Amino acid sequence: MLDFLARPESHAWHQQLARLLRTAAAPDFPARLDQALREQVGHDTVLINAYRGRRRPLLIHDNYPPHRHEQGIERYLSKAYLLDPFFTAVSDGLDHGAHRLRELAPDRFEASEYYDHYYRALGLADEVGIFCRVDAEVVIAVSLGFGTKSPPLTRRALQALRHLSPMLEALLNEYWKWQGGKFQQRLAEQEPVEAALASFGAAVLTAREQEIVRLLLAGHSTKSAARELDISDGTVKVHRKHIYQRLEVSSQSQLFRLFLDHVALVSRQQAV
């Protein structure tokens, strides 16, 4: 430990940490945190979102240039978040630590229509989420993206983020204590587009078929969906056949497009 503390790079990091501690309560803390982490692990993109239950996430900070906002930010916050592994993980109770996207994603995530429609265009090869519960109802997720044209996320960098996560959680709690008030009303106003997922196909599908639709859209294979629901692979296949017949689609891509149309309709109805 003494050897580590005596190194020049340790001195620079602790100076940076001291600056973060002094500014944790300031409005610009998320941008400072972004810069500090970038110097340590070299991420390309960052999204800092606040999640409250299954409501639409609230964006706190990002570094996307204006020409990439539609794909990277607006499309995510309007509908894509419903199938995001990080959003699902928070909804399932994840509220601390640093986790790689591929650790949380379904087994066929990269073959899913969601991945093809939204994630592929981001140009990310890897992503790490740092999660922190800042009050009884709100979790903040710091999502660090590593591009396909940049140096890959190393095992060492991932381990560093995992070691840093308790300190980052303390800093984010301090930030939320002083700045969270200005976000609370906006979080309360965020419409739960989750209603679109809950109502998709409700007129013709059974409750179990709706569960299977959600798993398939998120990127679960037949085997994975069966495990999630504790049923056989064959039962999932039978349900999927009925789902396609009742919704009058013949492929996963058609099912996904039908879902997006439904989300857009529900969003317009909520806006009225």
Side-chain angles (χ1 to χ4, degrees):
M1 176 60 77
L2 285 176
D3 288 343
F4 167 72
L5 292 175
R7 293 174 187 167
E9 58 268 28
S10 172
H11 176 65
W13 164 247
H14 282 89
Q15 284 186 317
Q16 193 172 63
L17 177 57
R19 288 192 293 271
L20 288 174
L21 289 169
R22 286 194 296 269
T23 60
D28 66 346
F29 171 74
R32 292 176 179 270
L33 178 62
D34 173 13
Q35 181 60 35
L37 290 176
R38 188 187 311 279
E39 292 176 13
Q40 300 304 315
V41 299
H43 60 271
D44 294 296
T45 66
V46 64
L47 281 176
I48 302 181
N49 286 311
Y51 296 90
R52 182 180 178 185
R54 294 192 66 84
R55 288 179 176 271
R56 193 194 310 263
L58 180 65
L59 180 66
I60 294 176
H61 170 76
D62 75 272
N63 70 342
Y64 280 75
H67 70 277
R68 294 185 61 196
H69 255 251
E70 194 281 329
Q71 175 67 35
I73 308 294
E74 294 168 19
R75 190 177 297 187
Y76 176 79
L77 294 177
S78 65
K79 56 188 111 176
Y81 78 88
L82 287 167
L83 302 174
D84 176 29
F86 284 166
F87 174 76
T88 300
V90 171
S91 298
D92 289 343
L94 183 63
D95 61 3
H96 71 281
H99 303 268
R100 212 170 190 168
L101 178 71
R102 64 186 60 172
E103 298 168 348
L104 302 176
D107 59 343
R108 289 187 56 79
F109 175 68
E110 293 188 7
S112 69
E113 292 297 322
Y114 165 79
Y115 184 93
D116 191 56
H117 175 78
Y118 169 72
Y119 203 85
R120 189 186 304 279
L122 298 180
L124 298 181
D126 218 330
E127 190 172 6
V128 176
I130 303 166
F131 301 85
C132 171
R133 182 167 295 282
V134 292
D135 72 22
E137 295 186 322
V138 179
V139 172
I140 289 179
V142 180
S143 301
L144 306 177
F146 298 82
T148 55
K149 298 180 180 179
S150 302
L153 172 70
T154 64
R155 206 177 278 181
R156 187 178 180 87
L158 178 61
Q159 192 62 38
L161 289 171
R162 287 176 169 156
H163 287 171
L164 288 171
S165 63
M167 182 269 292
L168 299 182
E169 290 175 31
L171 289 170
L172 287 167
N173 267 281
E174 186 69 10
Y175 170 75
W176 192 259
K177 181 170 71 176
W178 294 100
Q179 300 296 330
K182 67 183 181 184
F183 298 112
Q184 289 286 14
Q185 183 176 353
R186 289 167 59 195
L187 272 171
E189 292 171 352
Q190 294 288 75
E191 291 292 346
V193 182
E194 173 72 8
L197 199 51
S199 60
F200 180 56
V204 294
L205 301 180
T206 66
R208 175 48 58 89
E209 288 167 348
Q210 285 183 287
E211 288 179 307
I212 290 172
V213 165
R214 180 171 187 156
L215 291 171
L216 295 177
L217 288 173
H220 286 269
S221 66
T222 297
K223 287 184 179 293
S224 178
R227 285 195 302 269
E228 288 284 321
L229 300 175
D230 195 25
I231 57 179
S232 71
D233 297 1
T235 300
V236 173
K237 291 177 181 178
V238 170
H239 279 306
R240 185 172 61 189
K241 180 179 179 181
H242 291 164
I243 289 165
Y244 282 19
Q245 288 174 341
R246 291 169 182 171
L247 293 179
E248 299 180 349
V249 299
S250 58
S251 67
Q252 185 84 355
S253 60
Q254 288 181 357
L255 178 66
F256 184 74
R257 286 196 294 271
L258 188 65
F259 169 69
L260 291 184
D261 290 343
H262 181 70
V263 173
L265 174 63
V266 171
S267 296
R268 287 195 299 270
Q269 290 172 341
Q270 290 178 338
V272 174

